[in-house]
């Protein structure tokens, strides 16, 4: 996602400079004597080039970069072996459950580093937006509906998450942490947490 953002910034920066350059050229340029037919041809070229070709090429290039990045952020297919974590938003905390292990937590997630996990999002009362800025994009948690977010931490560490949708009076208390463990440490944590519950 980071590469997509930087690529889009570069592309739009180039377009912005090109538009400013063309505007300065148009302001300072002396058109000279041109016939009506020549003026019409020039106008048609600018409309076709600047109104059809440039946007078409720009969109095609951005889609060529954006579609693979977006596809990589989609949840994996159901038949692949991926850790399932169920997260439900309440006023004013996140309930985190590991259904296969019988572990239940509040405002903290533990995941294995270097592996994708599926976060199944729900909300008990109002719309919320689950967001871990360093790991994935935002995804809404909607009452009566389940959304699935693919989350992956490439390195072990602690990542801060938050609710990115104003959800009421204590919205600021809807923060949480995601701790990514090396695979062996995660297995040990999950085993200890299951024994404690």
């Amino acid at each position: 996602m980071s590469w997509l953002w930087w690529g889009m910034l570069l592309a739009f920066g180039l377009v912005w400079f090109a538009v400013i350059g063309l505007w300065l050229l148009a302001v300072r340029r002396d058109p000279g004597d041109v016939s009506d037919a020549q003026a019409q041809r020039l106008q048609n070229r600018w409309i076709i080039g600047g109104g059809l070709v440039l946007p078409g090429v720009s969109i095609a290039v951005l889609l060529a970069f954006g579609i693979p990045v977006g596809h990589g952020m989609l949840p994996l297919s159901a038949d692949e072996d991926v850790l399932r974590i169920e997260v439900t938003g309440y006023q004013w905390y996140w309930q985190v459950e590991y259904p296969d292990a019988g572990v239940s937590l509040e405002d903290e997630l533990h995941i294995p580093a270097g592996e994708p996990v599926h976060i199944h999002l729900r909300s008990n009362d109002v719309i919320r937006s689950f967001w871990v800025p360093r790991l994935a994009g935002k995804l809404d948690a909607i009452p009566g509906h389940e959304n699935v977010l693919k989350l992956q931490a490439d390195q072990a560490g602690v990542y801060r998450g938050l609710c990115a949708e104003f959800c009421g009076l204590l919205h600021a208390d809807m923060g949480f942490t995601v701790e990514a463990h090396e695979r062996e440490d995660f297995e040990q944590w999950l085993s200890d947490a299951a024994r404690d519950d």
Side-chain angles (χ1 to χ4, degrees):
M1 192 160 49
S2 175
W3 284 108
L4 178 63
W5 189 91
W6 285 109
M8 288 176 65
L9 178 67
L10 177 65
F12 290 128
L14 292 173
V15 168
W16 185 78
F17 281 116
V19 168
I20 296 300
L22 289 172
W23 175 73
L24 289 173
L25 179 67
V27 167
R28 297 173 190 260
R29 187 173 152 267
D30 178 20
D33 293 329
V34 292
S35 68
D36 288 342
Q38 290 173 322
Q40 185 63 44
R41 275 196 304 276
L42 282 172
Q43 181 180 352
N44 289 346
R45 277 191 218 147
W46 280 108
I47 289 173
I48 291 170
L52 296 174
V53 175
L54 179 64
V57 170
S58 300
I59 290 171
V61 169
L62 290 174
L63 286 175
F65 286 107
I67 289 174
V69 170
H71 188 269
M73 294 171 56
L74 290 174
L76 301 173
S77 65
D79 57 340
E80 295 189 57
D81 187 25
V82 179
L83 176 65
R84 176 189 175 111
I85 303 173
E86 296 178 357
V87 178
T88 305
Y90 290 89
Q91 291 181 324
W92 311 98
Y93 66 98
W94 296 96
Q95 180 73 38
V96 179
E97 296 179 2
Y98 296 77
D100 294 337
V103 174
S104 182
L105 305 168
E106 283 186 16
D107 294 333
E108 65 178 280
L109 287 87
H110 294 263
I111 62 173
E115 300 176 23
V117 298
H118 283 181
I119 309 296
H120 292 255
L121 293 170
R122 295 183 211 88
S123 178
N124 188 50
D125 34 44
V126 298
I127 295 175
R128 293 181 169 77
S129 190
F130 183 90
W131 188 28
V132 186
R134 292 183 56 204
L135 300 182
K138 302 175 208 173
L139 191 63
D140 286 344
I142 301 169
H145 183 73
E146 180 176 279
N147 284 330
V148 181
L149 175 68
K150 178 180 163 186
L151 193 70
Q152 181 172 341
D154 292 329
Q155 298 175 348
V158 177
Y159 302 89
R160 178 104 173 98
L162 55 107
C163 176
E165 178 83 26
F166 181 70
C167 57
L169 183 63
L170 298 178
H171 165 70
D173 292 340
M174 293 292 294
F176 59 93
T177 58
V178 176
E179 187 170 351
H181 305 268
E182 295 300 334
R183 184 47 145 156
E184 302 78 27
D185 296 336
F186 174 74
E187 292 294 343
Q188 184 62 50
W189 171 85
L190 192 60
S191 173
D192 293 345
R195 211 174 21 250
D196 292 342
D197 271 2

